[in-house]
Amino acid sequence: MRYIVVGAGAVGGSIGGRLHESGRDVVLVARGAHGAALRADGLRFTTPEGTRHLRVPVADGPEDLPLRPDDVLVLAVKTQHTAAALARWAGRPVAGGGLAGESLPLVCAQNGVENERLALRLFRRVYGMCVVLPSSFLRPGSVTAACGPYTGVLLLGRYPSGADGTARRIAADLEGSVFRAPVVTDVMRFKYAKLLGNLTQTVEALCGPVAAGTPAGELAERVRTEGTAVLKAAGIDFADAAELAALRRGTVEPRPVPDGERALGSAWQSLARGAGSIEADYLNGEFVLLGRTHGVPTPVNETLLRLANASAAQGRPPGTTAAAEVLALLDAPA
């Protein structure tokens, strides 16, 4: 199997880098300054073992890469870029006949729950992946994954449910590449739990590190409480926090790295890079959508969504919004 990683940032670069190191056939898809850096110097990949430059093949997109019937597409772009990426790849011919959307498996190695829905419109074989992989991408060409003894836990299953031989083959390759990769039949149950946890990312992107007993901690607690109420009102089953914590315990724990850069979550990194967009529409925005559908007020998620999008559009650095001011805004009389 050849792994084509579409979006070689923190998650995609870590998955592709580890697969490459274990001898798997990998292509990283990246454009702009990041793609240029990967071509010039390879992937600068930092883990607790050290920093190395991996000469992984790089492509700009499907036009540069004849597809084979043994290819696996790993989608690792932010959700706001998913529709465009799917449109570029689904109609590409595969050697031997057929199109990518008809025959190739596509794995959504992404936060949120919208990616799989978008993918299933264009791809017949869609797999969800619940990604527990603390990593960072702050500079073109460089990815840091600072955990051990495993780089991450990647739960994998067929979307909308089930498991098959392809999932087990992918999982076996990942298990041989410094990941834990359990195959589950209810992957979206874990992805909804991860989505709930991702709400804290928006708080830390706006307000900085979240700690109990601080205004940021209170804001994070409020948004999680609101999100939990929404999922319950919608009748959506989700794993509890203890299940996710058990996946990480003793397997994905912070480890020192020789020269990696300190970073918070992916939303924080988007603001730090000045990316111009942020994934909040598909994190907080998912709860806003569900709340409006099922009659549950979502003032905390709506407020954080508005502030996050404004920060990204205005190029504001992460951590420059005072959590106390957000709380005062939420508590102000209507």
Side-chain angles (χ1 to χ4, degrees):
M1 300 171 82
R2 180 175 66 168
Y3 293 91
I4 300 173
V5 182
V6 182
V11 169
S14 296
I15 292 174
R18 283 301 200 188
L19 285 168
H20 173 81
E21 286 188 310
S22 69
R24 273 68 180 184
D25 196 356
V26 177
V27 179
L28 301 178
V29 179
R31 294 185 288 177
H34 187 43
L38 293 174
R39 283 187 179 83
D41 301 313
L43 173 65
R44 185 179 186 275
F45 189 39
T46 298
T47 67
E49 302 99 300
T51 296
R52 54 273 194 205
H53 286 79
L54 307 179
R55 290 290 180 176
V56 189
V58 182
D60 276 338
E63 300 81 9
D64 298 338
L65 192 64
L67 296 179
R68 311 184 321 211
D70 64 341
D71 284 337
V72 176
L73 296 177
V74 179
L75 192 62
V77 299
K78 293 288 194 293
T79 309
Q80 62 267 32
H81 305 304
T82 289
L86 292 170
R88 293 184 74 203
W89 289 89
R92 301 301 298 180
V94 178
L99 303 176
E102 298 167 349
S103 60
L104 297 186
L106 181 133
V107 179
C108 294
Q110 300 160 285
N111 286 329
V113 295
E114 183 65 17
N115 301 289
E116 289 82 1
R117 293 193 291 238
L118 291 169
L120 202 59
R121 291 177 171 90
L122 298 178
F123 281 81
R124 185 171 289 136
R125 301 169 64 196
V126 176
Y127 297 79
M129 178 179 281
C130 181
V131 177
V132 183
L133 201 176
S135 53
S136 60
F137 164 51
L138 297 176
R139 293 184 291 118
S142 297
V143 169
T144 297
C147 282
Y150 295 91
T151 299
V153 179
L154 307 173
L155 285 91
L156 183 67
R158 190 76 184 254
Y159 178 79
S161 63
D164 60 16
T166 298
R168 286 185 281 274
R169 288 178 64 198
I170 295 169
D173 282 349
L174 292 168
E175 291 269 1
S177 306
V178 204
F179 293 104
R180 283 198 61 219
V183 176
V184 296
T185 59
D186 55 351
V187 68
M188 297 311 292
R189 178 171 172 270
F190 292 92
K191 293 204 73 166
Y192 272 103
K194 177 76 185 306
L195 177 65
L196 191 60
N198 286 145
L199 295 179
T200 299
Q201 284 199 17
T202 309
V203 177
E204 70 181 13
L206 290 168
C207 309
V210 172
T214 67
E218 180 182 344
L219 186 55
E221 184 60 32
R222 285 200 196 187
V223 75
R224 286 193 299 263
T225 298
E226 185 178 277
T228 300
V230 167
L231 292 182
K232 289 181 176 179
I236 294 173
D237 188 24
F238 59 98
D240 61 35
E243 287 181 85
L244 288 184
L247 291 171
R248 300 182 63 146
R249 191 175 304 118
T251 58
V252 181
E253 297 184 342
R255 295 279 177 87
V257 294
D259 57 356
E261 297 172 292
R262 183 179 181 275
L264 298 179
S266 62
W268 185 96
Q269 293 176 46
S270 291
L271 294 184
R273 290 197 310 274
S277 66
I278 196 168
E279 207 171 12
D281 282 344
Y282 303 97
L283 304 179
N284 303 85
E286 183 69 30
F287 290 94
V288 172
L289 173 62
L290 287 170
R292 291 171 180 172
T293 301
H294 296 280
V296 180
T298 56
V300 186
N301 277 286
E302 289 176 26
T303 298
L304 291 174
L305 176 59
R306 183 176 69 254
L307 293 172
N309 281 331
S311 289
Q314 295 164 12
R316 297 183 61 185
T320 54
T321 301
E325 292 180 6
V326 182
L327 291 170
L329 183 64
L330 290 167
D331 293 337

